[in-house]
Each structure stands twice: as C-alpha cells, then as structure tokens.
Amino acid sequence: MSISEKQPGVSVDTASSKDYPTPPRNADDTLLAELGYKAEFKREFSMIETIAFAFSIMGVVGSVSSTFSFPLVSGGHVGMVWGWLIPCFFVMAVASSMAELVSSMPTSAGLYYFSAKLAPPRYSALASWITGWANITGQVTLVCSIDFTCAQMIATAIAVSSDGAMIVSSGATYGILLAILFTHGLVCSAATNILARLNLFYVIVNVGTTIAAIITLLVCSGGNRVSTNEAFTMFENNTGWSNNGWAFLLAFTAPMWTLTGYDSAAHISEEVAGAQRTAPIAILVGVFGTQALGWLLLIACSFATASVTNLLTSALPLPMGQLFLNVLGKRGMLVIWCFIIVVQFVTGAAQGVDASRVIFAFARDNALPGSRWWKQINRHTQTPVNAVWLVMAAAAVCGLLGFSAAALTSLAGASVIGLYVSYATPIFLRITSGRNKLVPGTFSLGRWYMPIGIIAVAWVSFIVVLLFFPPTQTATPVGMNYAVVIIVGVFIFASISWVVSAHKWFHGPIKNIDDPRSSLEGKEL
C-alpha cells in the first residue's frame, strides 16, 4: 500500500490540483503539492548543476587534505589506501537507499519527512523529531568542521610562506574561521540562480585541483616514491591503541567525514528541475565520483609519503601541507595549496546552503524555537536568508572546540554521527514498518532494497560506536573526543523538549499549501 493510501491526508489528487488558488506551475510542483508543500523556490538547478552541488559538497581534495592525519596515525600507508576503500562499499549502500527515498519524496524536508511517512502512525512524529534534530546537528557541525579546516589550511599557507616564522595561534585560527563563516553567510544568502551557476565553477575547481594533485604527487616525488608493496601493505600504528586492528578502524573517520552531505540533493530538491530523476542521480554520481577520485588521490599520497613520522611530527597544522612541501618545494606547494583552499572554501559554501535548507524545512514544520523567523523566505533573493545566518552563528559556537587539541576529531565525529543517524533512521523504517508504504519514484532498488538497507543500517550502527572513541587509548581533557558531548547534549535537549512540550504540538511534517478540501492552515500531513 502506498503512502498516500495509508495516510489519506498526505497526498492531493493531481486531477484536483487545478482547484488550488495558486496552482502548481509544473510536474515538480504538482508532486510537491501531493507531498503537502507549496512551491516557494525557483527551480533553477539543472541536472548537471545538481550533480555539481552534490559533488562539490564533498570536496575531494579539500576533504582528503583536511583529514589526512587520520590514516597517517591509524595505519600509515595501509590506513591511506585500505582505510578509504573499505568504507566506500558500505557508504554506497547508504547512498543507494537514500536515493530511492529521495526519488519517491523529493522535498527539502528530506530525511525527517521520510521518517515520518515510513514510521508507524503512532511513532511518526517522534521518528521525524529524532531524525530532524540528528540531521541539524550533523549539518551545523559539518559546516563548522569544513570551515575550521579551511582556516587551518590558511594557517598552513602562512606558516610555509613565512618559512615557519609565523605560526598561527588557536585564537587567530578561530578569528579566520569567523571571517570564513561570515563570507559564507553572504554567499549562501544569494539567489538560487546564482548558487546554481556557482556550482559549475565549484566542480571544475574541485575536479581540476584533485587531478592536478594526483599527477604532481606521483610525478614530482621522483626517487622518493616508496615501492608498490610499501604503498599498499606497510602498516604503522601511531594511535596509542595497543590493538592494531582497532587502530586501523579509526582510519575510517577520514572517508566517513568526506562522504557526508550527499543528502544535499534532497534538501535542494525543491529548487531542482525534474527532481524525482535528478536528485537520486546526483546522490549516486556525487558519491561514486568522490570515492573514486579520493582513492586515487590517497594512493598517490601513499606513494609520495617517504616517512609517515616526518609528516606527523611537522609543525604545520595539516600534515598534507608538509607532504606537498616535501614533494613540490615551497613555491610549488603554495601554488597547489591555494587551489585546495579554494576547494575547501567552496565546499563550505555548498554545505552552508544545504544546512540552511534543512533549518528552513524543519522550521516550516514549526519544529524549531523561533520557527517563524527561520522559515521566512527573503522576497528579493527567494532564499531562506534568516536560516543561513542561524547556521553560521551556530557553527561559530561549535568552532570554540578549535581550542581543543582534538578539535577535528570532535567536529568530524559529531558531524558524521549526526548525519549518518539521520540517514539510517528512515532507511531502518523503510525495511521494517515502511516496507509496503513507499511509492517508488523514478529510481527504485526493487527487491534489493531489503539487503541493501540492512547493510546500510548495520554499517551506520557500527560507525557511530566507533566514532565516539577518543583518538588515543589514554584520553585527557585537552585531547578527548568531544563528539560525545555535542551529540549527547543535543540528544538531552531534544528529549527534554519532546517530553515536556513537543509531543503535544509537534505532529510531524505539516501541510502549507491551500487545500480547498480543508479550511485548516498547517494541517498535519
């Protein structure tokens, strides 16, 4: 039985859509009306621009450069090559399941909407509440972690250009982070057509810089390249954990952090033409492209790394900067590093757009404090400008973790846990209570949805536990993994809010389209 059959209030008969006071303009808006929402954005993202957006938000070379310390510490050469490849297979299972859901229900509400529609009616609102807050936590911390590593890249460039004379302090790095967040606030507030065109520039810079990095590392490392055997099999445990197997698993943090944000195709689906077909394609192409290019880049890094210890003991904020310095020298390193900074900057901008759409959608369903402010659409740009600045302000608060020695571990862990919990929840509901509820869209997994969904949920359950652990066996207040503080803090807030009041007034996604069959504004979907 389809969703609309199970819950009559969900859909609006297409044939009667002509009776709306403001009729949907095209097939996309008709489908959106059936899901219960009126069209509030201009659909100016084409297929190629949507793929570019999903791809750019994962920013291959910028993300690999930011998280290069994880495989170095957790396995060395083995951590680089196999610590990236192994998670890719499981992430593709998650992405495939998500693509099916997006194709069926292309709305900016995305994941929490999926959970509401696939959960048993009694628990629909609670499932939506949990998914929404988990996704918002992941979205905001991901914006912060991307922009924080962009600030670290700038600090690395300053240190190299000054020959080590200027080492940027934690306070100064936080100041750079605030400047980047402010700039991203301006960019993300722009009109949809501007954002769509910018993404074509983003993907060209992203792919071009990644390919350039792969070639330069392989060609310019010359006689310092390690052998093929060493590049693929040499293992080094620098974590402080005595168990080598566990130490290697911690290398999974890098690909898991990089391979996040592809739900962006769902969150901008109300701005996409042909969303039922375009959004799932963008997810699958974006994820596979990032996986493939990322693995090739890390193989090149493995060949070019003559000494793991040399990179880990570098005074530069990011070990990847030291690798490029060793291979290319000061001038060559600064040239390619500037392009990598640009990639990371535009990755943060794309993620800022994604996060603001999540805030807007959740506020549209009155699920956030001050929802009436965050769901407003700016009449000039036709974008949720207030939601954009809320994201930037929240990311600035999270950025205070930058004063911790394990800042990246904490921010990366919190973003991955938050996002993947929100990814896995509707997938879990799809393979349990929602088996007969999904109305297939253009993209469908068919009978394979069950085994693929089981793999996806099992993988997320494993990775969430893994990412709560500290980077070393002996944790200190300065070096502990604060992801648990962020996640548990949000969980406690959301739980108390639900028990005290939210269960009384939050009933899941609500209709905001004028339906002549009902006189109630904001009727529950």
Side-chain angles (χ1 to χ4, degrees):
M1 186 176 291
S2 70
I3 295 176
S4 57
E5 293 170 327
K6 192 76 172 179
Q7 303 177 52
V10 174
S11 68
V12 177
D13 187 74
T14 305
S16 66
S17 62
K18 61 184 180 182
D19 298 325
Y20 285 105
T22 304
R25 293 184 295 273
N26 52 42
D28 287 310
D29 293 342
T30 299
L31 176 59
L32 186 62
E34 292 174 358
L35 297 175
Y37 295 121
K38 64 182 178 182
E40 299 184 79
F41 297 99
K42 295 180 180 179
R43 294 188 180 272
E44 297 185 304
F45 275 85
S46 65
M47 168 84 72
I48 188 65
E49 289 162 345
T50 308
I51 293 173
F53 184 80
F55 188 80
S56 296
I57 214 166
M58 289 179 273
V60 187
V61 68
S63 297
V64 170
S65 297
S66 301
T67 58
F68 190 50
S69 59
F70 290 110
L72 283 176
V73 170
S74 303
H77 296 275
V78 168
M80 292 181 227
V81 177
W82 305 111
W84 176 276
L85 182 62
I86 292 172
C88 286
F89 295 102
F90 299 101
V91 170
M92 186 54 74
V94 179
S96 299
S97 296
M98 186 188 298
E100 181 182 49
L101 297 177
V102 173
S103 182
S104 173
M105 299 172 277
T107 167
S108 293
L111 301 160
Y112 78 85
Y113 185 98
F114 306 157
S115 292
K117 300 309 155 193
L118 297 173
R122 182 180 177 184
Y123 300 105
S124 175
L126 179 59
S128 181
W129 182 262
I130 292 171
T131 306
W133 277 104
N135 193 244
I136 286 174
T137 303
Q139 293 284 349
V140 171
T141 51
L142 187 58
V143 170
C144 180
S145 55
I146 292 171
D147 286 1
F148 175 72
T149 52
C150 187
Q152 286 187 312
M153 288 179 180
I154 294 173
T156 298
I158 293 172
V160 172
S161 62
S162 64
D163 294 319
M166 291 181 63
I167 301 297
V168 179
S169 66
S170 297
T173 301
Y174 182 70
I176 297 172
L177 168 63
L178 293 180
I180 294 171
L181 287 170
F182 178 76
T183 307
H184 280 161
L186 297 176
V187 173
C188 296
S189 298
T192 301
N193 64 329
I194 296 175
L195 294 173
R197 305 303 176 268
L198 281 174
N199 277 289
L200 294 178
F201 164 73
Y202 291 173
V203 78
I204 291 171
V205 174
N206 190 353
V207 175
T209 304
T210 303
I211 293 174
I214 293 171
I215 294 172
T216 54
L217 286 172
L218 291 175
V219 173
C220 299
S221 53
N224 292 322
R225 280 199 304 271
V226 300
S227 67
T228 301
N229 182 58
E230 288 177 310
F232 283 87
T233 64
M234 190 174 186
F235 181 84
E236 296 181 43
N237 180 0
N238 296 292
T239 63
W241 287 94
S242 57
N243 187 293
N244 287 339
W246 179 258
F248 169 70
L249 292 178
L250 294 174
F252 292 175
T253 305
M256 292 307 300
W257 184 75
T258 302
L259 297 168
T260 52
Y262 46 86
D263 55 317
S264 58
H267 301 310
I268 65 165
S269 61
E270 293 181 29
E271 302 165 72
V272 172
Q276 264 199 316
R277 178 171 178 266
T278 299
I281 290 176
I283 290 173
L284 297 174
V285 173
V287 170
F288 179 76
T290 301
Q291 290 177 340
L293 280 176
W295 196 46
L296 292 175
L297 176 57
L298 281 162
I299 289 174
C301 290
S302 186
F303 274 106
T305 301
S307 170
V308 171
T309 303
N310 171 261
L311 300 183
L312 289 176
T313 56
S314 170
L316 297 179
L318 295 174
M320 183 68 93
Q322 186 63 54
L323 177 61
F324 279 114
L325 184 61
N326 292 348
V327 173
L328 303 177
K330 177 181 175 180
R331 183 172 297 179
M333 178 271 180
L334 288 174
V335 170
I336 197 165
W337 199 249
C338 285
F339 281 99
I340 293 175
I341 290 174
V342 171
V343 170
Q344 194 69 346
F345 180 85
V346 299
T347 299
Q351 177 56 34
V353 172
D354 185 20
S356 68
R357 293 338 187 236
V358 175
I359 295 290
F360 161 79
F362 212 36
R364 182 172 59 182
D365 292 320
N366 298 322
L368 293 176
S371 286
R372 68 190 184 94
W373 296 102
W374 316 129
K375 66 182 177 183
Q376 290 183 7
I377 297 292
N378 185 279
R379 62 189 180 90
H380 298 294
T381 65
Q382 289 295 293
T383 54
V385 173
N386 291 355
V388 168
W389 290 104
L390 176 61
V391 169
M392 300 307 157
V397 174
C398 292
L400 293 172
L401 281 174
F403 293 95
S404 163
L408 183 57
T409 299
S410 302
L411 291 170
S415 58
V416 172
I417 291 169
L419 287 171
Y420 271 89
V421 166
S422 69
Y423 295 173
T425 302
I427 297 173
F428 173 75
L429 294 170
R430 165 74 171 116
I431 62 177
T432 53
S433 60
R435 289 192 299 273
N436 299 316
K437 292 184 176 182
L438 192 76
V439 179
T442 305
F443 175 80
S444 174
L445 295 176
R447 61 191 177 87
W448 292 100
Y449 84 91
M450 181 63 75
I452 292 174
I454 291 173
I455 292 171
V457 172
W459 171 253
V460 173
S461 301
F462 162 72
I463 211 68
V464 165
V465 174
L466 176 71
L467 293 179
F468 272 129
F469 279 82
T472 60
Q473 194 161 355
T474 305
T476 63
V478 176
M480 77 167 282
N481 184 353
Y482 283 93
V484 64
V485 177
I486 298 173
I487 298 297
V488 172
V490 173
F491 176 79
I492 291 174
F493 171 78
S495 298
I496 292 175
S497 298
W498 178 262
V499 172
V500 172
S501 66
H503 73 280
K504 302 175 184 177
W505 50 262
F506 181 74
H507 305 292
I510 57 176
K511 298 180 69 170
N512 72 349
I513 191 165
D514 295 328
D515 186 341
R517 292 172 301 180
S518 173
S519 60
L520 295 177
E521 177 72 12
K523 179 183 176 183
E524 181 186 347
L525 287 175

